[in-house]
């Protein structure tokens, strides 16, 4: 029996292909690593585009809910819809350096869930105003 899905969201199975997206440099200041973390690079991966550190044991220090929509909240919404806290956790789990995004908007284009199913997102905003308060913003 077919499952109803929103028209904006397509779910498929395919091999991962991550391309570089220079417009990905939109991460919140909370997600940037402190100078102390940058010194220990033995177990650290750094995204060339966003500067987000994906350390093997990185855990958030605090969490709060978004109050209003922004590009960063949009991307967090997309990561959380796919089952991840944020870009940091996605990069840790999937062992990737870059997240594929739309060059026009900088929004995340495609994410791979933990069950290896892909979520594809539109170029336009998908996080409606009534959903913004459900987005969690993690502070590292």
């Amino acid at each position: 029996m077919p499952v109803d899905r929103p028209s904006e969201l397509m779910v498929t199975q395919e091999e991962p292909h991550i391309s570089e997206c220079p417009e990905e440099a939109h991460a919140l200041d909370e997600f940037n690593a402190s100078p102390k973390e940058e010194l220990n690079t033995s177990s650290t991966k750094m995204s060339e585009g966003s500067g987000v550190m994906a350390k093997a044991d990185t855990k958030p220090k605090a969490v709060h809910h978004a109050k209003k929509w922004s590009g960063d909240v949009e991307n967090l919404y997309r990561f959380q819809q796919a089952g991840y806290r944020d870009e940091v956790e996605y990069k840790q789990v999937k062992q990737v350096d870059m997240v594929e995004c739309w060059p026009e908007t900088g929004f995340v284009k495609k994410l791979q869930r933990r069950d290896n199913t892909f979520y594809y997102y539109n170029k336009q905003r998908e996080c409606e105003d009534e959903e913004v308060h459900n987005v969690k913003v993690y502070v590292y």
Side-chain angles (χ1 to χ4, degrees):
M1 176 174 257
V3 177
D4 292 333
R5 297 209 184 270
S7 61
E8 307 88 37
L9 186 64
M10 296 187 326
V11 180
T12 63
Q13 293 280 343
E14 69 176 53
E15 291 299 314
H17 172 73
I18 305 296
S19 68
E20 293 186 8
C21 182
E23 288 79 15
E24 188 186 350
H26 62 272
L28 291 171
D29 289 337
E30 296 103 311
F31 299 131
N32 290 334
S34 67
K36 185 177 179 182
E37 289 176 310
E38 290 175 7
L39 293 176
N40 182 7
T41 58
S42 60
S43 64
T44 303
K45 289 185 179 180
M46 183 170 169
S47 168
E48 295 169 10
S50 67
V52 174
M53 300 300 282
K55 204 172 175 186
D57 58 353
T58 302
K59 297 208 185 318
K61 294 179 184 174
V63 63
H64 65 275
H65 289 269
K67 303 292 184 232
K68 67 177 195 169
W69 185 90
S70 70
D72 294 320
V73 170
E74 177 68 33
N75 281 333
L76 286 170
Y77 172 79
R78 293 172 186 220
F79 280 109
Q80 290 169 17
Q81 192 177 40
Y84 301 94
R85 281 191 311 255
D86 50 28
E87 183 178 2
V88 174
E89 183 183 41
Y90 180 78
K91 288 180 176 181
Q92 288 173 352
V93 172
K94 290 300 174 184
Q95 300 292 306
V96 296
D97 291 328
M98 299 295 291
V99 176
E100 190 171 338
C101 64
W102 291 103
E104 301 88 351
T105 60
F107 296 153
V108 172
K109 184 176 184 179
K110 178 173 80 171
L111 293 174
Q112 187 178 14
R113 293 184 346 183
R114 293 171 196 264
D115 66 358
N116 294 327
T117 302
F118 281 82
Y119 272 7
Y120 293 89
Y121 299 97
N122 289 329
K123 294 178 190 174
Q124 302 88 5
R125 172 181 176 175
E126 293 193 12
C127 180
E128 302 295 332
D129 285 332
E130 54 270 2
E131 293 294 321
V132 169
H133 70 282
N134 292 329
V135 176
K136 294 178 182 178
V137 180
Y138 294 89
V139 181
Y140 291 88

